[in-house]
Amino acid sequence: MAYVIKMRAVIFCFCAALLITALSLSAYYSGAYAVYFGASSRRIPIYCVGRQDKTISISFDCAWGTDHTDDILSELERNDVLATWFMAEFWTTKYPEFVKKIDEAGHEIGTHSSTHSYMSKLGRAEIESELTSSSEAITQITGKEVELFRPPYGDYDDELIDTAEKMGYYVIQWDVDSLDWKDLSAGDIVLRIINKVKPGSIILMHNDGKHTSEALPMIFSTLKNSGYEFVPIGDLIYRDNYTVDINGCQQPL
């Protein structure tokens, strides 16, 4: 009898372990929550979007210089592409004429923080200050509210995402990194992007990369010929009724 009871206990524990494993492996999270097997839940931003169509977004982080920004804008206009630009406050206040030019060209603008700090090291009040002041600087120039936020260096933690979302921001990362800030050749930038793009991808580039504008015509022609359509990130993401999987891909419910 004791042996039977012991075996039942073993079977029960084994079944419970299988159930936990299955739940962990299939875990999705509402908003930006993910559940990992053997770990506590962690919040994750949007890296890409699960879409059936071949819609993608290209974005430019603005935190240094403007030497190549006009060339980028020209290529975007020439190829009829609208992008999303994430601006640090010190860049916004230093180059208001470029903020206005980008906005008037029909592009979308999000905040890239105030000081371009590692924001996972900041407290809630500091995060709120960074987001508020940087967004207000953009709004003062464009007259438009800011709803997208990209953390500097891709650095984040639960508190950053919690705070940003409570303030009404969608926290945006990327799944295709051009590495244009490393001054890669235009050809290398093109290959990095076209080989990694998939439906719902978010491409990361920078407003003053040395060879960024040079790479854009080939990126646009290659991907458009493959059936891809470029839209601003605000038109790519789902605004509500979504989950984000453990890879950071936003999925509709």
Side-chain angles (χ1 to χ4, degrees):
M1 182 66 176
Y3 174 80
V4 172
I5 293 174
K6 183 177 180 180
M7 288 302 297
R8 285 178 176 173
V10 169
I11 293 171
F12 174 81
C13 292
F14 178 73
C15 291
L18 285 178
L19 178 60
I20 292 171
T21 301
L23 289 173
S24 299
L25 291 176
S26 63
Y28 280 80
Y29 49 95
S30 298
Y33 269 107
V35 180
Y36 295 89
F37 177 57
S40 59
S41 62
R42 184 190 180 195
R43 307 211 70 193
I44 299 180
I46 298 169
Y47 282 80
C48 59
V49 180
R51 298 185 63 115
Q52 298 300 314
D53 56 12
K54 299 182 77 171
T55 306
I56 57 177
S57 293
I58 189 166
S59 61
F60 299 88
D61 287 0
C62 305
W64 50 302
T66 58
D67 290 347
H68 303 286
T69 304
D70 277 327
D71 291 337
I72 292 173
L73 284 168
S74 294
E75 290 300 337
L76 291 169
E77 181 179 11
R78 188 174 294 114
N79 289 277
D80 194 26
V81 171
L82 293 179
T84 301
W85 302 67
F86 291 97
M87 302 176 180
E89 183 178 355
F90 58 80
W91 191 93
T92 301
T93 56
K94 186 175 182 179
Y95 304 110
E97 70 279 11
F98 276 92
V99 178
K100 188 174 182 180
K101 188 184 301 185
I102 290 167
D103 173 63
E104 290 180 346
H107 300 292
E108 179 180 53
I109 298 176
T111 175
H112 198 34
S113 82
S114 176
T115 61
H116 206 270
S117 302
Y118 285 94
M119 295 185 71
S120 67
K121 298 180 180 180
L122 304 181
R124 184 173 295 271
E126 294 173 301
I127 294 169
E128 291 175 348
S129 177
E130 287 264 343
L131 293 176
T132 298
S133 63
S134 59
S135 295
E136 287 178 348
I138 294 168
T139 301
Q140 286 175 5
I141 297 171
T142 66
K144 299 174 183 177
E145 295 298 317
V146 177
E147 59 180 4
L148 303 181
F149 162 54
R150 172 169 285 160
Y153 311 106
D155 173 63
Y156 66 91
D157 61 3
D158 287 0
E159 185 166 52
L160 176 62
I161 298 178
D162 283 340
T163 304
E165 288 189 349
K166 286 176 181 177
M167 294 176 69
Y169 297 94
Y170 294 91
V171 185
I172 307 297
Q173 298 279 69
W174 61 88
D175 67 326
V176 180
D177 190 349
S178 68
L179 294 183
D180 59 345
W181 62 273
K182 288 189 173 184
D183 291 342
L184 298 182
S185 70
D188 285 341
I189 293 171
V190 170
L191 289 176
R192 283 190 60 83
I193 291 176
I194 65 175
N195 288 334
K196 295 183 178 182
V197 160
K198 62 181 185 297
S201 279
I202 297 174
I203 302 167
L204 169 65
M205 303 191 85
H206 295 80
N207 76 292
D208 212 35
K210 187 175 181 180
H211 299 293
T212 301
S213 63
E214 184 184 348
L216 290 178
M218 183 61 69
I219 291 169
F220 294 145
S221 63
T222 301
L223 293 179
K224 284 186 174 184
N225 286 338
S226 297
Y228 284 99
E229 177 187 1
F230 290 86
V231 299
I233 293 172
D235 294 335
L236 182 76
I237 63 174
Y238 302 106
R239 299 311 185 97
D240 48 34
N241 298 318
Y242 67 86
T243 62
V244 181
D245 65 27
I246 60 175
N247 297 310
C249 193
Q250 188 192 41
Q251 305 284 355
L253 290 174

